[in-house]
Every structure is written in C-alpha cells, then in structure tokens.
Amino acid sequence: MRADHDGADGQSGTGTEAGTGAARPPAAAAARERSDPWKVAFVGLLVVSLVCVVTWILLGSRLLVVRDVAVTGLDRVGREEVVSAVDVPTGTPLIRVDLEEGADRVGGLALVESATVSRGWPATLRVEVVERQPLLAVRVGEEYRLVDRDGVRIEDSPTRPGTHPLVRVTGEVEGNDAVRAAAAIVEAAPDSMLARIRLIDATDTDAIRIEITEGAVIEWGTAEATGDKSEILRVLMREHPPGDGTVYDLSTPDLAIVR
C-alpha cells in the first residue's frame, strides 16, 4: 500500500512539473514578442520614408518636370500657337499639370476641333490635336469660303474644290444648324457621289435639296436619317442612273421614289 501511494505521488509531481513547463513561454518566444513593436515601427518608418521620397520626386525634384511639349496632328495650326495655348512653363512638375484645363485651352483655338493632353514620363507633355476640316464651300463675292461642320471658316479659295459642295443657308454661317445638316450629308456621302454634288440648298432645313452635276435633283427632306438616305440614294442611282431632270425623292426614306 505504501508503494502505491508513493507511485501516485510521483505521478502527481511529474504532472505538475509538466503542466508548469507548458504554461511558461520559452525564452526565445518571449524575446520575439518583445521585439515585434520594433518591427512594426521599422516597417512604418520605411513606408513613410518611401512615400516622402516618391512625393519629393513627383513634386519637388527636377527629375520629373516638363522639359518638352510634343504636339501631333498639326497641319494648318502652328506648333508655337499650341504650345502657347497649353500654357505649361518648362520646369513644371508633370504631376501638377492640369491636363483637362490644358486641353480646353488648346481646344479654344479657332482651327482646333478638339485636343487631348497627356503626360509622357519622365519629362514630356504630349498634346494631340484634331484640326477642323473644311467640308463645304460658301460663296463670298467672287471667292469661296471653305467651312467645317460648324460653319467655322477654315480658308478662302478663288475656286471651289470639287470635293467641297456649295452650300446655301440663311443667316450667319458659323453655328448654323443648316450648315451642320449639310455637313452630315457630305460626311455620309461616298467619294464617288461627293464630287458630283454641286449645291446643297439648306435654306429650309425641312426640305433640303441637292443638285448634282448630271442635272438631277435630290429632294433630301429633313436632316434626319442621313445615313439611311445615303444608302438608299446609292441603290436608286444604280438602278436609275441620273439624268437631266431626274428627281430622287428621299424625303420619306421608306417610300423613296424616282420621277
């Protein structure tokens, strides 16, 4: 009986020591726990330092600043005129350039239809220009004024270019809806048809009338469904070749007739 009691006591003592050992963390683990705040502080300091360096490079250094303005899409407009309009001094940090505002300033030039300004890292400001293109001719005295879809004057010519139909409207040419309607017809017309148009009479935008070189007349109607009307006209002219006095009535596209 005594032996049994001693054995039980031994097991109890062993279990207590094991339990005590498991409850206490090893010295190495405790040291790691004590060092974790320093690691967090170090990582935080590193991140802040990187942010400061990047901010300085973008805003304060001379590494990423405008050194050149690259302009594309020019024909009639001069490069210096565009550079002056975008108005970004050399040495300006690229990140600080207001791209939208610069594009609006360039787009305000008389012969510019639209403009896009972008950053070309590390030191270039890129300006892509879309110039206004002449589509129609307006008779002014003995000359012709070539205008775009908005009626903006592009250039003057002593003769009418064959691919720029004469347009007749009432009121001011620039900003005239009748000019826009005539321009839409020109843009939708195939090249083979464009050279045959002599006059687009848009004095009444509900009854636009087109005269072509063969002496035929196209009663276009309103400016609506221009694309559909252009395709219908192509089919009608193939089936019924134009002649002097021929009339193509497209005022109602679904009921287009030739007479």
Side-chain angles (χ1 to χ4, degrees):
M1 295 297 294
R2 184 179 177 84
D4 292 340
H5 179 73
D6 290 342
D9 287 345
Q11 290 176 1
S12 175
T14 304
T16 301
E17 290 174 2
T20 302
R24 295 173 182 171
R32 284 196 299 270
E33 289 181 1
R34 287 194 299 271
S35 66
D36 285 345
W38 293 101
K39 288 182 179 179
V40 171
F42 175 77
V43 171
L45 183 60
L46 181 61
V47 170
V48 171
S49 299
L50 289 175
V51 170
C52 290
V53 170
V54 171
T55 302
W56 176 77
I57 290 175
L58 292 176
L59 298 177
S61 78
R62 305 296 297 174
L63 299 177
L64 303 177
V65 299
V66 177
R67 300 185 187 279
D68 180 46
V69 179
V71 185
T72 57
L74 298 183
D75 181 19
R76 295 179 174 87
V77 181
R79 179 184 179 280
E80 293 305 318
E81 188 178 3
V82 173
V83 173
S84 177
V86 76
D87 193 24
V88 176
T90 300
T92 302
L94 270 174
I95 196 67
R96 289 182 177 175
V97 176
D98 189 326
L99 303 180
E100 186 174 346
E101 185 177 333
D104 288 343
R105 286 194 295 266
V106 176
L109 296 175
L111 297 183
V112 173
E113 184 171 303
S114 64
T116 303
V117 179
S118 60
R119 300 180 182 91
W121 302 103
T124 302
L125 190 66
R126 303 189 186 281
V127 183
E128 299 178 27
V129 174
V130 177
E131 292 187 351
R132 295 182 180 275
Q133 298 299 320
L135 296 172
L136 299 161
V138 179
R139 189 69 179 264
V140 180
E142 298 298 321
E143 294 189 333
Y144 296 88
R145 178 166 298 168
L146 306 185
V147 300
D148 75 340
R149 65 171 61 89
D150 294 318
V152 174
R153 174 184 177 182
I154 307 300
E155 62 180 276
D156 293 334
S157 173
T159 59
R160 181 182 69 84
T163 54
H164 296 67
L166 186 66
V167 63
R168 183 184 296 154
V169 298
T170 56
E172 290 292 330
V173 174
E174 186 169 344
N176 195 315
D177 287 338
V179 173
R180 294 189 181 98
I185 295 172
V186 169
E187 290 177 319
D191 292 341
S192 57
M193 178 63 190
L194 194 57
R196 300 158 77 174
I197 299 176
R198 293 192 314 181
L199 171 68
I200 301 176
D201 187 344
T203 51
D204 183 353
T205 53
D206 290 329
I208 298 173
R209 189 171 180 271
I210 302 172
E211 298 177 6
I212 60 177
T213 54
E214 292 87 347
V217 172
I218 303 165
E219 294 181 353
W220 195 265
T222 67
E224 298 178 354
T226 294
D228 293 339
K229 291 178 180 179
S230 182
E231 181 61 24
I232 293 170
L233 178 63
R234 185 182 66 81
V235 173
L236 289 179
M237 292 182 71
R238 185 178 65 240
E239 296 177 352
H240 306 277
D244 190 16
T246 304
V247 177
Y248 300 91
D249 188 348
L250 305 177
S251 54
T252 306
D254 293 336
L255 299 173
I257 60 173
V258 181
R259 60 178 190 269

